[in-house]
Amino acid sequence: MKYQNAVSFPGDFLWGASTSAYQVEGASKEDGKGPSVIDILEHRPPGIADFSVASDHYHRFREDVALFAELGLRAYRFSIAWTRILPSGEGEVNRAGIAFYHELIDELAAVGIEPIVTLYHFDLPAALDERGGWSDRRTIDAFERYARILFDEFGGKVRYWLTINEQNMMVLHGKAIGTTGRSGDTDQKTIYQQNHHMFLAQARAMASCHEMLPEAKIGPAPNIVSVYPATSAPGDVVAADDWDAIRNLMYLDVAVRGAYHPLAWAYLSERGLEPRFEDGDDETLRGARPDFIAFNYYSTQTVGESRGDLSDIQTRGGDQQIVRGEVGLYRAVKNEHLPTNAFGWEIDPVGLRTTMRRLWDRYRLPLIITENGLGAFDELVDGRVHDDYRIDYLRRHIEQIQLAISDGVDVFGYCPWTAIDLVSTHQGIRKRYGFVYVDRDEGDLKELARIRKDSFHWYRGVIAGNGVDLC
Ligand code: BG6
């Protein structure tokens, strides 16, 4: 639908930006922090930065928050490192870790920035991984206890909570992201049992949040994208529906409705991958309901009917580690209508609108976009970063959010990835997303100086004008 006059962004729209603890903080062994699965990664690609220093936000958070305030952020979405709070995932609380996040949240409050806190963003404690990680049901208890510690400590200061970042990407691409820990190449049956345990952990965290903090709001944060059929051939449409259910809707149906999506369940049971339910699991899942849906959006996926052979499989752009397509389920197809970024990711602003419309249509829960952004090889030239490509990317996505609002979708915030440069999941610091440039490269930390990119000045104007002027 085209509008003569698009509806404005609400006055209290949360213009924000995102990071995650292990990608931005550094100080990976300081002040009592324990190791996470990320810290024990053994197969990092050669020449790619590890996460031990990252952007050194742990030591420079005051300078960073001052920059976020200058940018005009109304919200900052970040994660708490489980292993700073509980170095081995359970047991003794590390007071230094608690103190760090109090200081960060207080600093944000002092400049009027709303904290949006992710409980768990890929960094499972290594000690829990050691004894089976998400395969072991004790990890569900550990997560609930960890969540309750956070609610108890920070509940008076934090209104918005996110449970688990991109559970679906950990399930589908865990090895590439580096979240599988010592278990490495786990079989599919185990992965879907782990997935079930994460669903239970999430449900218990949501229920605890509602019990302990009646004023707070909590939601899941999966990666959700529209799935397009490659053509109007009915077989392609069926494949798109199937993949949508398995990639997207399973995660939201369990979170919101407390039950597996029927198509996703059919897929799991037909392949013998269905998780084992224990007594009470059903009640746990049905007993929790989020207040909103947070989702991360980068690009859509286009799929065709499976040909039943290896031609179904593709890697994403130049990234050999992210495999798409599944023989007998769907064929990965390049969408010829969409350009790609420097890393081969398709760019589809309109897909953000369709994704939002579909989510609103199905769940009728307020939405917040907790990640969206452009990974690029930014260049620092004479102290400036001219990232007009990022401005263009963000502008075109924000336009589509406004159209979705005009369509009647209830969306209350937008937090692009990232507030400040950080280390990408598996492609290093050279793949940058931030509004603020961090002067370091893969091996040389230099001074880690902070430099405002052109997109910083542009986004400040967008926020100041509440999205009216995107030029
Ligand atoms: C999301 C993650 O999948 O995408 C982030 O939540 C990640 O942690 C972001 O950094 C971009 O992906 P990448 O691989 O470019 O870092």
Side-chain angles (χ1 to χ4, degrees):
M1 203 185 319
K2 293 199 190 303
Y3 296 99
Q4 296 300 324
N5 298 300
V7 174
S8 307
F9 284 91
D12 57 356
F13 191 74
L14 291 178
W15 295 101
S18 281
T19 62
S20 89
Y22 81 90
Q23 294 174 278
V24 76
E25 284 177 5
S28 65
K29 292 186 180 155
E30 282 181 45
D31 293 341
K33 180 183 174 302
S36 74
V37 287
I38 301 293
D39 300 316
I40 59 162
L41 264 182
E42 277 161 12
H43 305 294
R44 211 180 305 281
I48 292 293
D50 66 19
F51 298 95
S52 56
V53 177
S55 305
D56 198 32
H57 176 70
Y58 186 77
H59 296 115
R60 299 170 196 234
F61 73 92
R62 291 187 202 283
E63 178 186 354
D64 293 343
V65 172
L67 281 163
F68 302 163
E70 182 185 326
L71 180 55
L73 292 188
R74 297 182 186 169
Y76 174 48
R77 180 251 182 170
F78 62 97
S79 74
I80 289 184
W82 189 341
T83 51
R84 274 198 204 287
I85 306 298
L86 296 159
S88 53
E90 48 185 22
E92 283 283 293
V93 171
N94 175 32
R95 294 311 308 176
I98 297 276
F100 169 69
Y101 292 108
H102 270 302
E103 285 178 40
L104 172 60
I105 293 166
D106 290 347
E107 198 76 9
L108 292 167
V111 291
I113 298 178
E114 182 87 49
I116 301 177
V117 177
T118 314
L119 302 177
Y120 163 41
H121 189 124
F122 296 166
D123 50 357
L124 183 72
L128 299 184
D129 174 61
E130 192 69 45
R131 64 171 201 207
W134 286 110
S135 296
D136 188 324
R137 289 181 70 101
R138 285 177 296 177
T139 301
I140 306 170
D141 302 326
F143 183 75
E144 182 184 11
R145 172 166 177 260
Y146 162 62
R148 292 183 77 92
I149 291 168
L150 299 191
F151 298 149
D152 189 40
E153 278 291 340
F154 306 114
K157 304 176 179 179
V158 174
R159 278 197 298 170
Y160 294 99
W161 297 90
L162 310 175
T163 55
I164 300 178
N165 180 71
E166 295 197 353
Q167 182 177 325
N168 53 344
M169 294 302 103
M170 286 196 275
V171 167
L172 296 167
H173 304 298
K175 199 161 170 237
I177 303 172
T179 53
T180 49
R182 294 200 194 281
S183 53
D185 269 324
T186 307
D187 62 278
Q188 289 290 96
K189 175 92 179 158
T190 307
I191 288 175
Y192 279 106
Q193 190 65 45
Q194 295 176 341
N195 186 43
H196 181 64
H197 294 162
M198 280 192 258
F199 283 142
L200 293 166
Q202 169 169 269
R204 290 222 226 144
M206 291 195 296
S208 295
C209 182
H210 289 141
E211 172 211 317
M212 295 173 68
L213 308 171
E215 304 296 319
K217 295 186 186 303
I218 188 163
N223 178 306
I224 302 294
V225 303
S226 285
V227 179
Y228 301 145
T231 70
S232 53
D236 288 345
V237 177
V238 169
D241 286 350
D242 288 345
W243 185 235
D244 188 31
I246 294 159
R247 185 202 187 281
N248 296 315
L249 302 180
M250 163 160 50
Y251 297 87
L252 289 172
D253 271 23
V254 174
V256 178
R257 301 176 173 176
Y260 281 74
H261 188 288
L263 274 179
W265 190 260
Y267 161 82
L268 294 173
S269 50
E270 206 260 342
R271 285 163 172 71
L273 303 176
E274 74 277 30
R276 197 180 51 258
F277 272 59
E278 290 199 357
D279 286 351
D281 284 4
D282 218 21
E283 291 71 22
T284 301
L285 296 180
R286 288 181 195 281
R289 189 177 147 80
D291 303 291
F292 59 83
I293 291 172
F295 71 103
N296 300 344
Y297 174 88
Y298 289 91
S299 56
T300 45
Q301 274 193 254
T302 304
V303 311
E305 182 175 5
S306 166
R307 291 183 177 138
D309 58 36
L310 288 178
S311 69
D312 288 343
I313 310 292
Q314 271 189 9
T315 56
R316 178 171 63 187
D319 186 354
Q320 298 306 311
Q321 299 186 65
I322 301 283
V323 175
R324 293 259 169 81
E326 186 174 327
V327 178
L329 179 66
Y330 78 97
R331 179 167 47 91
V333 175
K334 172 159 175 33
N335 190 324
E336 299 299 339
H337 303 283
L338 302 176
T340 51
N341 72 12
F343 294 86
W345 297 25
E346 290 171 347
I347 299 176
D348 184 7
V350 176
L352 177 55
R353 180 182 181 190
T354 62
T355 302
M356 294 170 73
R357 285 156 57 131
R358 290 175 185 189
L359 290 180
W360 177 246
D361 193 34
R362 187 170 178 88
Y363 300 107
R364 283 291 194 280
L365 280 173
L367 305 177
I368 178 167
I369 299 138
T370 39
E371 285 184 32
N372 169 238
L374 184 71
F377 296 104
D378 294 341
E379 272 189 61
L380 181 64
V381 181
D382 298 332
R384 301 283 303 272
V385 178
H386 299 301
D387 57 342
D388 45 313
Y389 38 86
R390 179 167 295 109
I391 294 172
D392 181 62
Y393 176 100
L394 295 171
R395 175 192 293 125
R396 294 198 292 126
H397 283 80
I398 293 171
E399 282 168 358
Q400 295 299 321
I401 298 171
Q402 189 172 10
L403 289 173
I405 292 173
S406 306
D407 293 332
V409 174
D410 181 357
V411 52
F412 65 98
Y414 176 61
C415 298
W417 187 258
T418 50
I420 183 167
D421 283 347
L422 43 65
V423 181
S424 106
T425 57
H426 60 288
Q427 291 172 304
I429 184 77
R430 67 191 74 178
K431 186 183 195 184
R432 296 172 183 269
Y433 287 87
F435 292 111
V436 176
Y437 186 88
V438 174
D439 192 18
R440 63 160 288 184
D441 59 30
E442 305 301 338
D444 183 357
L445 295 175
K446 304 183 192 173
E447 299 290 316
L448 288 151
R450 276 52 178 154
I451 296 151
R452 297 160 187 80
K453 300 182 191 176
D454 286 0
S455 57
F456 179 100
H457 302 291
W458 170 81
Y459 193 44
R460 185 173 56 181
V462 170
I463 298 173
N466 201 39
V468 171
D469 185 5
L470 300 178
C471 293

PDB file of all heavy atoms in Angstrom, residues 208-230:
ATOM      1  N   SER A 208       9.639 -15.469  35.996  1.00  0.00           N
ATOM      2  CA  SER A 208      10.312 -14.864  37.158  1.00  0.00           C
ATOM      3  C   SER A 208      10.262 -13.349  37.076  1.00  0.00           C
ATOM      4  O   SER A 208      10.049 -12.662  38.079  1.00  0.00           O
ATOM      5  CB  SER A 208      11.781 -15.293  37.222  1.00  0.00           C
ATOM      6  OG  SER A 208      11.883 -16.660  37.436  1.00  0.00           O
ATOM      7  N   CYS A 209      10.486 -12.839  35.885  1.00  0.00           N
ATOM      8  CA  CYS A 209      10.469 -11.379  35.705  1.00  0.00           C
ATOM      9  C   CYS A 209       9.094 -10.832  36.098  1.00  0.00           C
ATOM     10  O   CYS A 209       8.995  -9.851  36.843  1.00  0.00           O
ATOM     11  CB  CYS A 209      10.798 -11.043  34.250  1.00  0.00           C
ATOM     12  SG  CYS A 209      10.854  -9.281  33.918  1.00  0.00           S
ATOM     13  N   HIS A 210       8.049 -11.482  35.620  1.00  0.00           N
ATOM     14  CA  HIS A 210       6.701 -10.988  35.924  1.00  0.00           C
ATOM     15  C   HIS A 210       6.371 -11.113  37.415  1.00  0.00           C
ATOM     16  O   HIS A 210       5.696 -10.248  37.981  1.00  0.00           O
ATOM     17  CB  HIS A 210       5.671 -11.727  35.066  1.00  0.00           C
ATOM     18  CG  HIS A 210       5.758 -11.327  33.622  1.00  0.00           C
ATOM     19  ND1 HIS A 210       5.618 -12.207  32.576  1.00  0.00           N
ATOM     20  CD2 HIS A 210       6.010 -10.126  33.053  1.00  0.00           C
ATOM     21  CE1 HIS A 210       5.778 -11.554  31.427  1.00  0.00           C
ATOM     22  NE2 HIS A 210       6.000 -10.298  31.688  1.00  0.00           N
ATOM     23  N   GLU A 211       6.896 -12.172  38.021  1.00  0.00           N
ATOM     24  CA  GLU A 211       6.655 -12.358  39.462  1.00  0.00           C
ATOM     25  C   GLU A 211       7.424 -11.313  40.290  1.00  0.00           C
ATOM     26  O   GLU A 211       6.874 -10.701  41.204  1.00  0.00           O
ATOM     27  CB  GLU A 211       7.116 -13.776  39.842  1.00  0.00           C
ATOM     28  CG  GLU A 211       7.122 -14.086  41.329  1.00  0.00           C
ATOM     29  CD  GLU A 211       8.224 -15.094  41.665  1.00  0.00           C
ATOM     30  OE1 GLU A 211       8.398 -16.087  40.920  1.00  0.00           O
ATOM     31  OE2 GLU A 211       8.924 -14.865  42.669  1.00  0.00           O
ATOM     32  N   MET A 212       8.679 -11.075  39.915  1.00  0.00           N
ATOM     33  CA  MET A 212       9.528 -10.207  40.743  1.00  0.00           C
ATOM     34  C   MET A 212       9.387  -8.727  40.404  1.00  0.00           C
ATOM     35  O   MET A 212       9.591  -7.870  41.257  1.00  0.00           O
ATOM     36  CB  MET A 212      11.000 -10.622  40.577  1.00  0.00           C
ATOM     37  CG  MET A 212      11.312 -12.008  41.091  1.00  0.00           C
ATOM     38  SD  MET A 212      13.001 -12.520  40.675  1.00  0.00           S
ATOM     39  CE  MET A 212      13.996 -11.410  41.674  1.00  0.00           C
ATOM     40  N   LEU A 213       9.090  -8.444  39.122  1.00  0.00           N
ATOM     41  CA  LEU A 213       9.082  -7.047  38.659  1.00  0.00           C
ATOM     42  C   LEU A 213       7.808  -6.769  37.867  1.00  0.00           C
ATOM     43  O   LEU A 213       7.834  -6.714  36.631  1.00  0.00           O
ATOM     44  CB  LEU A 213      10.298  -6.777  37.759  1.00  0.00           C
ATOM     45  CG  LEU A 213      11.692  -7.144  38.285  1.00  0.00           C
ATOM     46  CD1 LEU A 213      12.731  -7.020  37.190  1.00  0.00           C
ATOM     47  CD2 LEU A 213      12.051  -6.242  39.458  1.00  0.00           C
ATOM     48  N   PRO A 214       6.698  -6.588  38.541  1.00  0.00           N
ATOM     49  CA  PRO A 214       5.436  -6.432  37.825  1.00  0.00           C
ATOM     50  C   PRO A 214       5.418  -5.262  36.841  1.00  0.00           C
ATOM     51  O   PRO A 214       4.681  -5.284  35.858  1.00  0.00           O
ATOM     52  CB  PRO A 214       4.414  -6.211  38.944  1.00  0.00           C
ATOM     53  CG  PRO A 214       5.092  -6.533  40.218  1.00  0.00           C
ATOM     54  CD  PRO A 214       6.561  -6.540  39.994  1.00  0.00           C
ATOM     55  N   GLU A 215       6.263  -4.268  37.072  1.00  0.00           N
ATOM     56  CA  GLU A 215       6.268  -3.099  36.167  1.00  0.00           C
ATOM     57  C   GLU A 215       7.163  -3.315  34.947  1.00  0.00           C
ATOM     58  O   GLU A 215       7.086  -2.551  33.982  1.00  0.00           O
ATOM     59  CB  GLU A 215       6.796  -1.852  36.909  1.00  0.00           C
ATOM     60  CG  GLU A 215       6.048  -1.496  38.179  1.00  0.00           C
ATOM     61  CD  GLU A 215       4.610  -1.105  37.874  1.00  0.00           C
ATOM     62  OE1 GLU A 215       4.405  -0.400  36.880  1.00  0.00           O
ATOM     63  OE2 GLU A 215       3.714  -1.546  38.624  1.00  0.00           O
ATOM     64  N   ALA A 216       8.035  -4.311  35.016  1.00  0.00           N
ATOM     65  CA  ALA A 216       9.004  -4.485  33.925  1.00  0.00           C
ATOM     66  C   ALA A 216       8.374  -5.211  32.746  1.00  0.00           C
ATOM     67  O   ALA A 216       7.295  -5.810  32.856  1.00  0.00           O
ATOM     68  CB  ALA A 216      10.203  -5.270  34.441  1.00  0.00           C
ATOM     69  N   LYS A 217       9.066  -5.149  31.612  1.00  0.00           N
ATOM     70  CA  LYS A 217       8.607  -5.847  30.411  1.00  0.00           C
ATOM     71  C   LYS A 217       9.753  -6.717  29.887  1.00  0.00           C
ATOM     72  O   LYS A 217      10.918  -6.308  29.928  1.00  0.00           O
ATOM     73  CB  LYS A 217       8.186  -4.850  29.339  1.00  0.00           C
ATOM     74  CG  LYS A 217       6.968  -4.024  29.757  1.00  0.00           C
ATOM     75  CD  LYS A 217       6.480  -3.153  28.634  1.00  0.00           C
ATOM     76  CE  LYS A 217       5.373  -2.225  29.064  1.00  0.00           C
ATOM     77  NZ  LYS A 217       4.212  -2.914  29.632  1.00  0.00           N
ATOM     78  N   ILE A 218       9.354  -7.882  29.394  1.00  0.00           N
ATOM     79  CA  ILE A 218      10.378  -8.826  28.932  1.00  0.00           C
ATOM     80  C   ILE A 218       9.915  -9.513  27.658  1.00  0.00           C
ATOM     81  O   ILE A 218       8.706  -9.742  27.464  1.00  0.00           O
ATOM     82  CB  ILE A 218      10.701  -9.861  30.047  1.00  0.00           C
ATOM     83  CG1 ILE A 218      11.895 -10.742  29.660  1.00  0.00           C
ATOM     84  CG2 ILE A 218       9.475 -10.717  30.416  1.00  0.00           C
ATOM     85  CD1 ILE A 218      12.528 -11.484  30.826  1.00  0.00           C
ATOM     86  N   GLY A 219      10.866  -9.808  26.777  1.00  0.00           N
ATOM     87  CA  GLY A 219      10.516 -10.500  25.535  1.00  0.00           C
ATOM     88  C   GLY A 219      11.693 -11.268  24.969  1.00  0.00           C
ATOM     89  O   GLY A 219      12.837 -11.051  25.386  1.00  0.00           O
ATOM     90  N   PRO A 220      11.424 -12.151  24.022  1.00  0.00           N
ATOM     91  CA  PRO A 220      12.502 -12.902  23.349  1.00  0.00           C
ATOM     92  C   PRO A 220      13.164 -12.020  22.293  1.00  0.00           C
ATOM     93  O   PRO A 220      12.598 -11.006  21.907  1.00  0.00           O
ATOM     94  CB  PRO A 220      11.746 -14.046  22.675  1.00  0.00           C
ATOM     95  CG  PRO A 220      10.408 -13.445  22.346  1.00  0.00           C
ATOM     96  CD  PRO A 220      10.103 -12.439  23.443  1.00  0.00           C
ATOM     97  N   ALA A 221      14.341 -12.416  21.814  1.00  0.00           N
ATOM     98  CA  ALA A 221      15.021 -11.617  20.783  1.00  0.00           C
ATOM     99  C   ALA A 221      15.612 -12.513  19.693  1.00  0.00           C
ATOM    100  O   ALA A 221      16.827 -12.582  19.524  1.00  0.00           O
ATOM    101  CB  ALA A 221      16.115 -10.761  21.417  1.00  0.00           C
ATOM    102  N   PRO A 222      14.749 -13.192  18.947  1.00  0.00           N
ATOM    103  CA  PRO A 222      15.280 -14.021  17.855  1.00  0.00           C
ATOM    104  C   PRO A 222      15.615 -13.175  16.625  1.00  0.00           C
ATOM    105  O   PRO A 222      15.317 -11.986  16.581  1.00  0.00           O
ATOM    106  CB  PRO A 222      14.103 -14.956  17.540  1.00  0.00           C
ATOM    107  CG  PRO A 222      12.893 -14.173  17.927  1.00  0.00           C
ATOM    108  CD  PRO A 222      13.305 -13.262  19.065  1.00  0.00           C
ATOM    109  N   ASN A 223      16.234 -13.805  15.655  1.00  0.00           N
ATOM    110  CA  ASN A 223      16.488 -13.172  14.362  1.00  0.00           C
ATOM    111  C   ASN A 223      15.322 -13.589  13.455  1.00  0.00           C
ATOM    112  O   ASN A 223      15.153 -14.779  13.178  1.00  0.00           O
ATOM    113  CB  ASN A 223      17.828 -13.693  13.818  1.00  0.00           C
ATOM    114  CG  ASN A 223      18.165 -13.142  12.445  1.00  0.00           C
ATOM    115  OD1 ASN A 223      17.379 -13.239  11.520  1.00  0.00           O
ATOM    116  ND2 ASN A 223      19.343 -12.578  12.324  1.00  0.00           N
ATOM    117  N   ILE A 224      14.520 -12.623  13.043  1.00  0.00           N
ATOM    118  CA  ILE A 224      13.314 -12.953  12.268  1.00  0.00           C
ATOM    119  C   ILE A 224      13.335 -12.200  10.943  1.00  0.00           C
ATOM    120  O   ILE A 224      13.548 -10.979  10.926  1.00  0.00           O
ATOM    121  CB  ILE A 224      12.038 -12.576  13.057  1.00  0.00           C
ATOM    122  CG1 ILE A 224      11.992 -13.308  14.406  1.00  0.00           C
ATOM    123  CG2 ILE A 224      10.779 -12.887  12.226  1.00  0.00           C
ATOM    124  CD1 ILE A 224      11.836 -14.812  14.348  1.00  0.00           C
ATOM    125  N   VAL A 225      13.107 -12.936   9.865  1.00  0.00           N
ATOM    126  CA  VAL A 225      13.102 -12.309   8.536  1.00  0.00           C
ATOM    127  C   VAL A 225      12.007 -12.941   7.687  1.00  0.00           C
ATOM    128  O   VAL A 225      11.708 -14.128   7.822  1.00  0.00           O
ATOM    129  CB  VAL A 225      14.462 -12.503   7.820  1.00  0.00           C
ATOM    130  CG1 VAL A 225      15.591 -11.951   8.667  1.00  0.00           C
ATOM    131  CG2 VAL A 225      14.735 -13.953   7.461  1.00  0.00           C
ATOM    132  N   SER A 226      11.434 -12.147   6.809  1.00  0.00           N
ATOM    133  CA  SER A 226      10.461 -12.715   5.867  1.00  0.00           C
ATOM    134  C   SER A 226      11.148 -13.753   4.988  1.00  0.00           C
ATOM    135  O   SER A 226      12.294 -13.561   4.576  1.00  0.00           O
ATOM    136  CB  SER A 226       9.889 -11.624   4.966  1.00  0.00           C
ATOM    137  OG  SER A 226       8.969 -10.842   5.662  1.00  0.00           O
ATOM    138  N   VAL A 227      10.420 -14.828   4.711  1.00  0.00           N
ATOM    139  CA  VAL A 227      10.918 -15.838   3.768  1.00  0.00           C
ATOM    140  C   VAL A 227      10.066 -15.741   2.508  1.00  0.00           C
ATOM    141  O   VAL A 227       8.842 -15.852   2.573  1.00  0.00           O
ATOM    142  CB  VAL A 227      10.817 -17.259   4.368  1.00  0.00           C
ATOM    143  CG1 VAL A 227      11.318 -18.297   3.366  1.00  0.00           C
ATOM    144  CG2 VAL A 227      11.619 -17.353   5.669  1.00  0.00           C
ATOM    145  N   TYR A 228      10.717 -15.487   1.379  1.00  0.00           N
ATOM    146  CA  TYR A 228      10.001 -15.337   0.109  1.00  0.00           C
ATOM    147  C   TYR A 228      10.080 -16.632  -0.696  1.00  0.00           C
ATOM    148  O   TYR A 228      11.154 -17.248  -0.755  1.00  0.00           O
ATOM    149  CB  TYR A 228      10.650 -14.259  -0.758  1.00  0.00           C
ATOM    150  CG  TYR A 228      10.748 -12.867  -0.195  1.00  0.00           C
ATOM    151  CD1 TYR A 228      11.851 -12.078  -0.505  1.00  0.00           C
ATOM    152  CD2 TYR A 228       9.745 -12.303   0.600  1.00  0.00           C
ATOM    153  CE1 TYR A 228      11.964 -10.771  -0.035  1.00  0.00           C
ATOM    154  CE2 TYR A 228       9.850 -11.002   1.069  1.00  0.00           C
ATOM    155  CZ  TYR A 228      10.962 -10.239   0.749  1.00  0.00           C
ATOM    156  OH  TYR A 228      11.077  -8.954   1.212  1.00  0.00           O
ATOM    157  N   PRO A 229       8.989 -16.989  -1.389  1.00  0.00           N
ATOM    158  CA  PRO A 229       9.116 -18.084  -2.348  1.00  0.00           C
ATOM    159  C   PRO A 229       9.861 -17.588  -3.595  1.00  0.00           C
ATOM    160  O   PRO A 229       9.676 -16.441  -4.017  1.00  0.00           O
ATOM    161  CB  PRO A 229       7.658 -18.431  -2.688  1.00  0.00           C
ATOM    162  CG  PRO A 229       6.846 -17.249  -2.290  1.00  0.00           C
ATOM    163  CD  PRO A 229       7.636 -16.447  -1.283  1.00  0.00           C
ATOM    164  N   ALA A 230      10.715 -18.446  -4.168  1.00  0.00           N
ATOM    165  CA  ALA A 230      11.521 -18.040  -5.321  1.00  0.00           C
ATOM    166  C   ALA A 230      10.650 -17.646  -6.508  1.00  0.00           C
ATOM    167  O   ALA A 230      11.004 -16.757  -7.283  1.00  0.00           O
ATOM    168  CB  ALA A 230      12.462 -19.178  -5.709  1.00  0.00           C
TER     169      ALA A 230
END
